[in-house]
Amino acid sequence: MKKNYVSNSTESTRMFKADWMEALSKVHFTVPLYIYVPVICFLIWDALFRQHLSPLSFAGYYALGLVVWTLSEYLLHRFVFHFVPKAPWALRLHFIFHGVHHDYPNDAKRLVMPPSASIPMATVLYLFFGLFLNGGSLHAFFAAFLTGYLVYDISHYALHHFNFKSEFWKNLKKHHMLHHYSDATKGYGVSSALWDKVFGSDFIKK
């Protein structure tokens, strides 16, 4: 993604002419918690108490879901959100999904994914993972996957708007700020820098 105009304002820029579309593009950072925490709790309950998945199996599938989320976060950010198409209509979509965030990185209402996008995406991914898993194993796995998504979304907001004392969070914030303000072709991990190290897209930090 080429370096463009970058605003440091926390205000939202208008993206759509229609008021209802504009409203759907903005969301308070706590909204994903209200939507997905009950879903995660239900999936965990269903896996353990209705599907009778053993605690050991649950822990294994839950751990797998977390790992798969971190990899998915990295791959989506690097190869989908940062893929710049040539067609004008596709460029418009690119701007809506991720370009606007790089132009207005501190826009407080566009730092977490709005439900109008996250719910369809979560549904498609649930059906996709259902091709490989089922029953309790699917629900344990997907509960972890959604947990990873929530950590990513809330962390993303925090990295842009919170000041940290912890070295871990300071380093993670530095990693993400370098992605925004130094080199957008590196630092694709948001909630973790692990896969940047694995795939060689990390920054050389001095």
Side-chain angles (χ1 to χ4, degrees):
M1 184 180 293
K2 66 180 181 178
K3 200 173 183 67
N4 265 331
Y5 164 79
V6 178
S7 168
N8 284 318
S9 172
T10 58
E11 298 300 316
S12 293
T13 184
R14 191 172 184 94
M15 289 203 305
F16 301 100
K17 291 181 180 179
D19 289 341
W20 68 271
M21 292 181 71
E22 182 68 11
L24 288 175
S25 74
K26 299 178 183 179
V27 62
H28 190 269
F29 78 96
T30 59
V31 168
L33 294 171
Y34 303 138
I35 294 173
Y36 292 105
V37 167
V39 175
I40 291 167
C41 291
F42 170 77
L43 292 172
I44 292 172
W45 170 83
D46 185 79
L48 289 172
F49 301 107
R50 199 169 73 88
Q51 305 286 348
H52 302 293
L53 196 66
S54 72
L56 185 61
S57 294
F58 177 87
Y61 283 112
Y62 196 89
L64 178 63
L66 289 175
V67 172
V68 171
W69 164 257
T70 62
L71 180 60
S72 300
E73 174 194 311
Y74 175 86
L75 294 175
L76 282 169
H77 191 186
R78 180 172 183 174
F79 296 109
V80 178
F81 293 162
H82 277 265
F83 173 74
V84 182
K86 294 181 179 179
W89 66 268
L91 275 171
R92 173 65 176 159
L93 277 179
H94 170 263
F95 178 78
I96 290 169
F97 274 98
H98 199 61
V100 66
H101 175 54
H102 274 264
D103 284 1
Y104 301 88
N106 294 315
D107 183 340
K109 295 293 180 68
R110 292 197 174 105
L111 279 170
V112 299
M113 191 176 293
S116 55
S118 70
I119 291 175
M121 187 176 293
T123 303
V124 169
L125 287 169
Y126 178 82
L127 295 173
F128 173 74
F129 292 131
L131 298 174
F132 309 97
L133 299 169
N134 59 70
S137 58
L138 172 61
H139 286 183
F141 172 90
F142 203 65
F145 191 85
L146 289 178
T147 301
Y149 161 69
L150 283 183
V151 170
Y152 154 78
D153 243 2
I154 304 305
S155 295
H156 190 211
Y157 182 89
L159 293 177
H160 281 274
H161 287 283
F162 293 177
N163 291 316
F164 301 104
K165 293 183 179 180
S166 160
E167 283 301 312
F168 171 82
W169 286 104
K170 281 183 179 180
N171 289 332
L172 200 59
K173 179 166 184 168
K174 180 180 180 182
H175 183 80
H176 191 57
M177 293 303 105
L178 285 170
H179 172 74
H180 273 282
Y181 296 104
S182 178
D183 187 351
T185 66
K186 295 180 179 178
Y188 298 103
V190 176
S191 60
S192 168
L194 170 66
W195 296 107
D196 283 302
K197 299 181 189 301
V198 172
F199 294 115
S201 54
D202 198 8
F203 299 97
I204 300 174
K205 301 182 182 73
K206 298 180 180 179

